[in-house]
Amino acid sequence: MASALVRSEMVQQELIIARTIQESFLPVYTEDHPIAGINLAAKNVSGDFFDYFLQEDGTYVFNIGDVSGKGMDAALLMAKASSLYHCLGKTIKSPGKIMEVINEELVEHTTRGMFITMVGGIYDPVTQSVTMSNAGHLPVIQRTNEGKFLQYDSKTLPLGIIADQVFEEVTFSLAGSSLYLYTDGLSEGLARSLDQPDELENLHTLIDRFCDVPRQERLRQLAEEASRFDAGFDDLTILLIEESQGTKSEKLAAQQ
């Protein structure tokens, strides 16, 4: 029994280390950035991920993804996909092309049956334009300041299923609106909490409720509402893009 206890404690310690390494991949939020994210693991490690970083030309590269399955296998594949996108995003200016490269890598080397849904894109704070590609992921939600909702659905399979996929891109303006990217831990968790079907209208109502809350606190509130029923049901990740407070202040000062 003592030996089994020691082994169990060693495994738990290794999982804690693995989670710490995962968290080190996540960008650190500051008010100056127009992007915020949150990642909550259902267990010790997560199969969800998100990333964003500022490039020298002033644009932001971002992505969010969800690996099929749970546990260490999903966590390792998450680390690989997140690292690949981060590296490729520094030199390839097309989210669709980045997806194509990652897809070929996963098809060639990933264990059969595992795949990744992902959204990747580029956001330009100056022009407030977004160029985005969706690989089998959930719809991306855009909410205007007037309360109108738009959505951007995937038209391709997830990454790692078949080779030679072409991933379409869409470009649109984010002026006067917010963009919500999320994994199914949010939508399905909310459906469980409400005891209702998993429908986008549930998310619209939830987003409306907290639309005036500061970005990082807003994400915490959204996650809390979706995990009230069972916090360990699934990994939960949300990425939010909207005009930063610094940019808003500069525009207001210029108008005055």
Side-chain angles (χ1 to χ4, degrees):
M1 290 177 63
S3 178
L5 180 60
V6 169
R7 287 197 298 271
S8 176
E9 290 180 348
M10 290 178 62
V11 169
Q12 288 301 315
Q13 185 62 31
E14 290 175 352
L15 289 172
I16 291 172
I17 293 172
R19 180 57 184 168
T20 300
I21 293 173
Q22 277 194 320
E23 290 176 344
S24 72
F25 293 159
L26 303 177
V28 178
Y29 172 74
T30 69
E31 283 288 342
D32 294 333
H33 292 312
I35 307 180
I38 188 172
N39 171 257
L40 303 178
K43 305 299 181 184
N44 298 90
V45 290
S46 174
D48 287 2
F49 60 92
F50 75 87
D51 187 24
Y52 60 86
F53 58 91
L54 177 63
Q55 303 202 91
E56 291 183 358
D57 63 0
T59 62
Y60 285 84
V61 173
F62 65 88
N63 68 73
I64 186 172
D66 187 358
V67 180
S68 62
K70 294 180 176 64
M72 192 57 70
D73 288 350
L76 290 172
L77 188 56
M78 175 279 280
K80 179 176 182 177
S82 179
S83 298
L84 280 171
Y85 201 105
H86 190 96
C87 181
L88 294 169
K90 294 178 180 180
T91 55
I92 301 177
K93 304 304 181 183
S94 165
K97 293 296 183 184
I98 296 176
M99 297 285 197
E100 290 177 17
V101 175
I102 297 176
N103 182 62
E104 295 305 311
E105 176 69 17
L106 295 182
V107 168
E108 183 177 354
H109 296 292
T110 301
T111 303
R112 185 180 298 276
M114 296 192 73
F115 59 86
I116 300 175
T117 67
M118 183 188 289
V119 177
I122 298 174
Y123 172 60
D124 187 337
V126 176
T127 63
Q128 293 189 275
S129 67
V130 173
T131 298
M132 189 175 67
S133 183
N134 188 334
H137 200 74
L138 296 168
V140 175
I141 297 175
Q142 181 179 7
R143 182 191 185 276
T144 70
N145 289 344
E146 293 75 31
K148 180 181 178 181
F149 286 93
L150 306 171
Q151 71 182 58
Y152 302 93
D153 299 305
S154 169
K155 296 181 180 179
T156 57
L157 294 173
L159 304 174
I161 295 181
I162 61 172
D164 301 322
Q165 279 205 82
V166 176
F167 296 90
E168 297 183 5
E169 295 179 354
V170 59
T171 299
F172 55 91
S173 174
L174 196 61
S177 59
S178 305
L179 198 67
Y180 292 83
L181 305 87
Y182 56 94
T183 61
D184 55 9
L186 176 66
S187 55
E188 293 180 4
L190 181 61
R192 288 165 62 87
S193 295
L194 297 174
D195 192 23
Q196 294 180 6
D198 183 2
E199 297 177 346
L200 280 176
E201 285 73 17
N202 294 336
L203 282 177
H204 294 174
T205 301
L206 185 64
I207 289 171
D208 275 339
R209 193 194 315 173
F210 297 107
C211 65
D212 294 325
V213 177
R215 287 193 299 265
Q216 200 65 37
E217 175 62 17
R218 191 188 320 168
L219 297 187
R220 191 190 68 79
Q221 294 279 8
L222 295 177
E224 186 176 278
E225 288 295 314
S227 58
R228 285 189 296 115
F229 183 81
D230 185 359
F233 171 68
D234 197 2
D235 300 326
L236 189 158
T237 302
I238 316 171
L239 193 65
L240 169 63
I241 307 175
E242 68 180 18
E243 191 175 22
S244 66
Q245 290 301 118
T247 305
K248 289 180 179 178
S249 300
E250 290 171 3
K251 287 185 176 181
L252 182 59
Q255 292 173 357
Q256 295 175 341

